[in-house]
Amino acid sequence: MKGVGLGIFNHKTISVQFDPAAVAFFAATGITDPTIQAAINFRVRSFKGLDTTYNAPAYNLWDGGIFVDYPYVGGTGTTCKYNLKNPQNTDGAFRITFTGGNTFNANGYTGNGVSGSGNTHVQPDDLGQNTAGYYFYSRTAGTENKQCFTVQTGGSDEFGLYRRFSDNNAYVACNSGEQVLANADGSGFFVVSRFASNMFNTMIRGTNWASAQVSAAPTGLDIPIAAKNLSGVISSFSVTNWASFGLLSQTLSTQQMTVLTNIDVQFQTMLSRNV
Amino acid sequence: MKNLLLIFALTLLVVGCTKTEVQPTQPVTYSKVDVTLSKMLTKEKYKVLHAQKSTLRKTVLMVYSITEAQADSLRMQEFAPDQYYWPVQDCNGNWLITEEEVSQTVFSQWLWVKNLPQMEYCEPV
């Protein structure tokens, strides 16, 4: 069963078949822009393995890995808050609650480094100790000595990352301590997926590193964006420009991580915000 | 001759200081000195150093000063569709809301925030 929508291209009105999940997202957000609609429809169908242009093996990442997905389109707090996988206006559907000073525009979402952040209402223990992961697209290349997001209960990061610390390293944690990875460019697509109790993969702009970090029981704290949730206290606000964000509840293979990277990069290209 | 050299050196120092001032509303950036230091130090030591430097660095990011009572009344109130106030404290314990929160406020009951006094932001350690 396919949804049917209308798109206007080159001054001609033509019918475009949208995936039902895309239609639900448009209904929730009120997005009518044909470019954004086409990009969202591409994203959904590619994640589901229905559009194989950038997903040749037809992996079903939609049901086989992605727990929530935030494409940050539409340029408002309302359009950016919805979870593409379940675009209902409830915390239980993992809409983002944006607090403090934030900026929303065609390039996505950016906190202000003073008070801006969002609460996804997802907790690491929703994702599984040894199956958890996350991905996001950063449009900020420079260094930042604050985590893009993280959940901590102690001295070390437990779930989150510094995309590019001032020592030109990324510090990546996935229900574990931090793995240090050389990274002199803070922009592009990052994806992290745990595949064993003592290992997780980190793919940055298509290059993968396996990290030997032993997992610990995940916390029951809400995962923020653009901030740190330290034992329930929100602090350390980031100014990274996000163009997408998602959380994984099933392990992705490195091939699937590559496909996810390619889909997201193409999505950003369709929106003219790939860097 | 020595006096001339001294005056010249002092002039360069003053000009240099003037050029390195952070412009208003720009986020704090990290200089080459920070990067070099970070390579020399472990991350944890760098964090401590950075925190100490933050208290010394002149900050020109402007924010809006509020009282603690106002912070209590604003916290988690919706100021624009799907955006909520999140008052925070600066390095001196002063309560504040940010430029984005004030400029994007559209709901009539909160329009008084647009008349709040401004102050320079000082990042908490």
Side-chain angles (χ1 to χ4, degrees), chain A residues 2 37 42 59 64 72 76 100 112 145 162 172 181 195 201 219 240 254:
Chain A
K2 300 287 184 188
Q37 287 189 334
F42 163 81
Y59 294 130
Y72 296 139
T76 71
N112 68 354
N145 289 9
Y162 294 87
V172 185
L181 301 169
F195 61 92
N201 280 319
T219 71
T240 292
T254 53

Coordinates of all heavy atoms in Angstrom, one line a residue, chain A residues 2 37 42 59 64 72 76 100 112 145 162 172 181 195 201 219 240 254:
Chain A
K2 N 0.7 2.0 -1.0 CA 1.6 3.2 -1.1 C 0.7 4.5 -0.9 O -0.5 4.5 -1.3 CB 2.2 3.3 -2.5 CG 3.1 2.2 -2.9 CD 4.4 2.2 -2.1 CE 5.3 1.1 -2.6 NZ 6.5 1.0 -1.7
Q37 N 10.2 16.9 0.5 CA 9.4 15.6 0.4 C 10.1 14.5 -0.4 O 10.1 13.4 0.0 CB 8.0 16.0 -0.3 CG 7.1 16.7 0.6 CD 5.7 16.9 0.0 OE1 5.5 16.8 -1.2 NE2 4.7 17.0 0.9
F42 N 13.0 9.5 -0.4 CA 14.2 8.8 -0.7 C 14.8 8.1 0.5 O 15.2 6.9 0.5 CB 15.2 9.7 -1.4 CG 16.6 9.2 -1.4 CD1 17.1 8.2 -2.3 CD2 17.6 9.6 -0.4 CE1 18.4 7.7 -2.3 CE2 18.9 9.1 -0.4 CZ 19.3 8.1 -1.3
Y59 N 19.3 -3.8 2.0 CA 19.3 -4.0 3.5 C 18.0 -3.3 4.0 O 17.7 -2.2 3.6 CB 20.5 -3.4 4.2 CG 21.8 -4.1 3.9 CD1 22.9 -3.3 3.5 CD2 22.0 -5.5 4.0 CE1 24.1 -3.9 3.2 CE2 23.2 -6.1 3.7 CZ 24.2 -5.3 3.3 OH 25.5 -5.9 3.1
G64 N 15.6 -3.2 10.7 CA 16.8 -4.0 11.2 C 17.9 -3.2 11.7 O 19.1 -3.5 11.4
Y72 N 15.9 16.3 10.6 CA 16.1 17.8 10.8 C 15.9 18.6 9.5 O 16.8 19.2 9.0 CB 17.5 18.1 11.3 CG 17.8 17.5 12.7 CD1 19.1 16.9 12.9 CD2 16.9 17.5 13.7 CE1 19.3 16.4 14.2 CE2 17.2 17.0 14.9 CZ 18.4 16.4 15.2 OH 18.7 15.9 16.4
T76 N 12.2 24.5 11.4 CA 11.5 25.0 12.7 C 11.7 23.9 13.7 O 12.0 22.8 13.5 CB 10.0 25.3 12.5 OG1 9.3 24.0 12.3 CG2 9.7 26.1 11.3
G100 N 15.9 25.8 25.7 CA 17.0 26.8 25.6 C 17.1 27.4 24.2 O 16.2 27.4 23.4
N112 N 23.2 26.6 20.9 CA 24.0 27.8 21.0 C 25.2 27.8 21.9 O 25.9 28.8 22.2 CB 23.1 29.0 21.4 CG 22.5 28.8 22.8 OD1 22.7 27.8 23.5 ND2 21.8 29.9 23.2
N145 N 35.5 21.3 22.1 CA 35.9 20.5 23.3 C 34.7 20.2 24.2 O 34.7 20.2 25.4 CB 37.0 21.2 24.1 CG 38.3 21.1 23.3 OD1 38.3 20.7 22.2 ND2 39.4 21.5 24.0
Y162 N 32.8 13.0 21.4 CA 33.4 14.3 20.9 C 33.7 14.0 19.4 O 34.4 13.1 19.1 CB 34.7 14.6 21.6 CG 34.7 14.9 23.0 CD1 34.7 13.9 24.0 CD2 34.6 16.2 23.5 CE1 34.7 14.2 25.3 CE2 34.6 16.5 24.8 CZ 34.7 15.5 25.8 OH 34.7 15.8 27.1
V172 N 35.0 8.4 21.3 CA 33.8 7.7 21.0 C 33.5 6.7 22.1 O 34.3 5.9 22.4 CB 33.8 7.0 19.6 CG1 32.5 6.4 19.3 CG2 34.3 8.0 18.5
L181 N 40.1 8.2 18.5 CA 40.4 8.0 17.0 C 40.9 9.2 16.4 O 40.2 10.3 16.6 CB 39.1 7.5 16.3 CG 38.4 6.3 16.9 CD1 37.0 6.1 16.3 CD2 39.2 5.0 16.5
F195 N 29.0 -4.4 18.3 CA 28.7 -5.7 17.8 C 29.1 -6.9 18.7 O 28.9 -8.0 18.4 CB 29.3 -5.9 16.4 CG 30.8 -5.9 16.3 CD1 31.5 -7.0 16.4 CD2 31.4 -4.6 16.1 CE1 32.9 -6.9 16.4 CE2 32.8 -4.6 16.0 CZ 33.6 -5.7 16.2
N201 N 32.2 -0.8 16.3 CA 32.7 -0.1 15.1 C 32.4 1.3 15.1 O 31.3 1.7 15.5 CB 32.2 -0.8 13.8 CG 32.9 -2.1 13.5 OD1 34.1 -2.2 13.6 ND2 32.1 -3.1 13.1
T219 N 22.6 2.9 30.8 CA 21.9 3.7 31.8 C 20.4 3.9 31.4 O 20.0 3.7 30.3 CB 22.5 5.1 31.9 OG1 22.2 5.9 30.7 CG2 24.0 5.1 32.1
T240 N 27.5 22.4 17.6 CA 27.6 21.7 16.3 C 26.3 21.8 15.5 O 25.3 21.8 16.1 CB 27.9 20.2 16.6 OG1 29.2 20.1 17.2 CG2 27.8 19.4 15.4
T254 N 29.6 -3.8 8.9 CA 30.3 -2.7 8.3 C 29.7 -2.3 6.9 O 29.7 -1.2 6.5 CB 31.8 -3.0 8.2 OG1 32.0 -4.2 7.5 CG2 32.4 -3.0 9.5

